[in-house]
Amino acid sequence: MPNYTLKVNGKSVSVTADADTPLLWVLRDELNMLGTKFGCGIAQCGACTVHVGEDAMRSCSLPIATVAGESITTIEGLSKDGSHPVQEAWKEIDVPQCGYCQAGQMMTASAFLKVNPNPSKEEIRQAMHGNICRCASYNRIEKAVELAAKKS
């Protein structure tokens, strides 16, 4: 099996995996980073969202060979102490019910706010529509994104 070097949350890591192994499983099984969740396995729900460079991407559909050498940020790397504006807003609004999708929601929101720091409600809905919340906390998610934009 080949060896791959990644920069995960600012640290260089080396992993051995088949070229087609999804990044999600490398993060969870090899690097013990459990914040990124498995949801659907077909890049449709967003539970596995991480940043590759500055872009929010679904780690369940990213073969490790395609992200070798890339800078990857997981929910664990969004901030060291939970002080990222998105994390703060999530806490203030009390967004999660079950919480399963929330890491992916926050990763999508933080990438979106980097490119659109002052979004309208419609822009927030459009940006977040690809992330599924089984508990239907969509109104609180939208409010938290609005609040995070004000905090940034």
Side-chain angles (χ1 to χ4, degrees):
M1 274 194 280
N3 196 29
Y4 297 97
T5 300
L6 309 168
K7 187 174 183 181
V8 179
N9 298 331
K11 295 179 183 174
S12 185
V13 295
S14 183
V15 295
T16 301
D18 289 327
D20 61 350
T21 302
L23 174 61
L24 170 67
W25 299 118
V26 171
L27 293 171
R28 291 183 61 81
D29 296 345
E30 302 301 320
L31 302 177
N32 200 33
M33 303 186 89
L34 304 178
T36 305
K37 304 290 190 231
F38 172 80
C40 66
I42 56 172
Q44 296 297 303
C45 75
C48 68
T49 303
V50 298
H51 296 172
V52 178
E54 298 291 319
D55 299 320
M57 301 185 84
R58 308 301 164 83
S59 64
C60 73
S61 65
L62 287 173
I64 188 69
T66 65
V67 295
E70 296 284 343
S71 180
I72 297 160
T73 305
T74 67
I75 190 68
E76 293 91 346
L78 198 55
S79 74
K80 293 180 191 258
D81 59 1
S83 63
H84 187 282
V86 168
Q87 292 169 311
E88 290 289 336
W90 248 248
K91 287 183 265 184
E92 280 185 48
I93 301 293
D94 196 23
V95 173
Q97 283 186 31
C98 83
Y100 196 83
C101 71
Q102 297 308 310
Q105 298 275 3
M106 285 187 270
M107 296 306 287
T108 297
S110 61
F112 166 64
L113 290 173
K114 279 185 182 177
V115 296
N116 188 347
N118 190 24
S120 68
K121 288 182 186 229
E122 185 57 33
E123 289 170 325
I124 292 169
R125 276 191 202 104
Q126 286 297 316
M128 300 303 295
H129 86 276
N131 285 68
I132 296 171
C133 176
R134 295 173 184 162
C135 301
S137 296
Y138 299 113
N139 290 333
R140 289 198 310 266
I141 290 166
E142 288 176 15
K143 287 178 187 173
V145 176
E146 278 184 294
L147 180 58
K150 292 175 186 164
K151 290 177 168 289
S152 296

